[in-house]
Each structure stands twice: as structure tokens, then as C-alpha cells.
Amino acid sequence: MSTDRVPSCDVWELSRRRGTVQGELAVSNAPRLAAALADAEGTLRYRLTGRVDELGRPAATLDMHGTVRARCDRCGGAVDLPIDEQAQFFFVADERQLDELPIDESAEEPLLGSRRFDLAALLEDQAILALPISPRHDRCAGPAEVDDKLAGETRRPFEALAALKKSRR
Ligand SMILES: [Zn+2]
């Protein structure tokens, strides 16, 4: 099991050089992600590739793959969830620029860039956003009659996820 921490990276340099950083994020090193899962098993492989977007902005593409283990919303058992995400970002230099950007629904998401960008936090956010609101087994043998009772208890953490999703758009 990988226990290496994800290093920070210089996103300006990454973009300029069209560089690539890659490695693994262990769920055990991602407490916010682990809290939304059944356990801290699993590893996500990532690759962040720097580029300059069509508008000349420093940008990057993130690929993330792996499997994590969530709690089935119906039976409460563990369910393996494949994560297979790609996301596009561009970087701005300060908070004010970030605030002044118009909200749009384009594929690229703005991020506050840095020479020591917290890549681990971005990976964790993206993994949390990739989780289904209500994870379930494809063929769940769980008792349907306790479904409503369980739902009240198990849905709450996922409301927080939904709120996070909204605030990121
Ligand atoms: Zn189930």
C-alpha cells in the first residue's frame, strides 16, 4: 500500500513546460474522502498534465483512476466504486481574479494557482465529487423494507457532498 504523500506542484511551471506530474493518492492519506467511504482502502492513480488553453491561460488536465469502497445505501454493505475522472482547469493568480470571473458552465474550472499548489487537496475534492450521491450494489440483496429507515441515517453525509458540488460550480 502506498503511503507516499502527494507533493505540491508549481502550476505555472507545469503549464509553461507542458509538464506532467503523476503518482498515487492513497485513500488512507485523504481523510475527507475516507470519511465518505466504507473504509480507507484503495488508491487513486493521477496524472496532471500542464498546458496553455485557447485563451492563453495557464491550464491543466487531470486524469484520475482507481477503485474505492463505499457503503451501499440500501444494505449497508461495502460496494466497490470505480473512479474514472478527467477534469480541465485553468489557473488564476489571485483570489480577486477568481471572484471576478463570470460563472459559466464551460468545461474548464478556475483554480487559484500557486508555485506550491496543493495537489493532494484538489485530488481529494475531485474524488469526493466523483462519488455517487447514493452508492448501491448493482444487484443488491439488501432488505428493501429497512430502506426508508436507513435512508434517513445514510443520506446526510451525501447532502454535504451535494452542497460541495453546488459550491464548486
Ligand atoms: Zn447493497
Side-chain angles (χ1 to χ4, degrees):
M1 193 176 82
S2 167
T3 53
D4 291 348
R5 305 222 163 243
V6 175
S8 63
C9 76
D10 181 339
V11 295
W12 313 123
E13 184 70 11
L14 187 79
S15 161
R16 200 158 40 233
R17 290 177 31 229
R18 272 66 166 177
T20 297
V21 288
Q22 56 190 333
E24 294 186 340
L25 172 71
V27 176
S28 56
N29 280 337
R32 287 182 296 124
L33 173 60
L37 297 171
D39 57 38
E41 292 300 309
T43 302
L44 297 172
R45 277 170 294 127
Y46 68 85
R47 190 176 65 222
L48 186 70
T49 307
R51 59 193 170 82
V52 175
D53 74 8
E54 311 80 63
L55 299 174
R57 301 176 297 201
T61 299
L62 174 70
D63 291 284
M64 193 163 54
H65 307 279
T67 302
V68 296
R69 207 178 295 160
R71 189 70 66 191
C72 174
D73 221 5
R74 180 175 289 266
C75 72
V79 54
D80 283 345
L81 291 179
I83 303 273
D84 187 10
E85 284 288 296
Q86 189 180 72
Q88 317 273 348
F89 303 101
F90 66 92
F91 299 100
V92 299
D94 60 53
E95 294 273 5
R96 197 170 51 83
Q97 259 179 292
L98 201 58
D99 291 341
E100 286 172 355
L101 283 170
I103 309 263
D104 68 24
E105 296 294 319
S106 68
E108 288 197 339
E109 188 175 349
L111 292 174
L112 186 61
S114 167
R115 297 181 64 161
R116 295 196 307 177
F117 183 78
D118 189 349
L119 181 54
L122 177 67
L123 295 173
E124 192 167 8
D125 282 350
Q126 290 303 121
I128 290 169
L129 291 173
L131 298 176
I133 297 291
S134 178
R136 290 179 183 210
H137 292 113
D138 285 341
R139 299 166 68 94
C140 184
E145 63 269 25
V146 298
D147 202 35
D148 286 344
K149 206 166 49 176
L150 267 179
E153 295 303 316
T154 56
R155 232 169 245 154
R156 244 171 270 136
F158 296 102
E159 278 168 20
L161 288 182
L164 175 61
K165 268 187 199 186
K166 240 182 234 169
S167 73
R168 291 281 303 266
R169 297 287 161 221

